[in-house]
């Protein structure tokens, strides 16, 4: 699976290990154009043999869906079509803040390096954990 943290300027990408238990940051795609970004995602999905895309869905803190969430939803749909893969929108509230806290040297550095790939890994890991918990529940 590929996890995506879709932003206006960058898209963080994470991948799950083959067992589907761990998400790791993969790379950051600079979003020069939607077409170029979609092509890069499709190539990564093919290279990583992804079975699905898990896309961070930026709901507001109160859970409502705003303009940014609608833009991400539209991009996610296009990404699914470009990759010929199913898409799962996954609540990403506060993942960017988590990524900033978890990044190496986050408190020491005044220059903020992009952490979009780490945010994508947090999104994907959350999805994988929820899926594993629901599969392990007794019937």
């Amino acid at each position: 699976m590929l996890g995506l943290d879709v932003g206006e300027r960058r898209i963080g990408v994470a991948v799950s290990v083959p067992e589907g238990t761990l998400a790791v940051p993969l790379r950051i795609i600079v979003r020069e154009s939607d077409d170029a970004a979609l092509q890069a995602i499709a190539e990564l999905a093919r290279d990583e043999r992804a079975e699905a895309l898990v896309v961070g869905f930026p709901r507001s803190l109160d859970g409502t869906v705003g303009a940014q969430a609608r833009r991400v939803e539209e991009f996610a749909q296009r990404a699914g079509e470009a990759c010929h893969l199913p898409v799962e929108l996954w609540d990403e509230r506060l993942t960017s803040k988590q990524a900033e806290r978890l990044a190496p040297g986050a408190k020491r550095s005044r220059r903020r390096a992009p952490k979009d790939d780490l945010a994508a890994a947090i999104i994907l890991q959350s999805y994988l954990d929820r899926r594993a918990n629901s599969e392990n529940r007794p019937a």
Side-chain angles (χ1 to χ4, degrees):
M1 282 194 199
L2 284 187
L4 303 176
D5 179 37
V6 178
E8 293 293 319
R9 288 178 259 146
R10 293 179 306 273
I11 299 170
V13 183
V15 64
S16 65
V17 297
E19 299 80 20
T21 56
L22 180 66
V24 293
L26 184 62
R27 66 174 287 205
I28 296 172
I29 297 170
V30 176
R31 194 170 172 181
E32 295 172 359
S33 73
D34 282 358
D35 288 341
L38 291 167
Q39 182 179 352
I41 292 166
E43 288 173 12
L44 286 173
R46 197 171 34 257
D47 292 348
E48 298 295 331
R49 295 183 171 91
E51 297 173 1
L53 301 176
V54 177
V55 181
F57 191 56
R59 292 181 180 272
S60 300
L61 288 177
D62 65 3
T64 58
V65 175
Q68 178 63 16
R70 286 189 292 277
R71 284 191 293 272
V72 168
E73 186 174 20
E74 179 184 325
F75 184 86
Q77 179 181 354
R78 291 181 63 201
E81 291 168 1
C83 298
H84 307 288
L85 292 174
V87 173
E88 180 81 36
L89 295 175
W90 195 253
D91 190 349
E92 71 162 22
R93 283 179 275 186
L94 304 177
T95 55
S96 294
K97 293 294 181 193
Q98 282 181 291
E100 287 176 15
R101 282 197 309 268
L102 293 174
K107 293 187 180 194
R108 294 187 299 267
S109 175
R110 289 185 179 199
R111 187 179 143 270
R112 294 176 58 188
K115 297 168 183 64
D116 307 276
D117 55 343
L118 185 54
I122 292 168
I123 291 164
L124 183 55
Q125 188 65 55
S126 172
Y127 173 83
L128 295 171
D129 290 346
R130 176 67 57 91
R131 190 176 73 169
N133 286 338
S134 66
E135 288 175 358
N136 292 329
R137 284 194 184 143

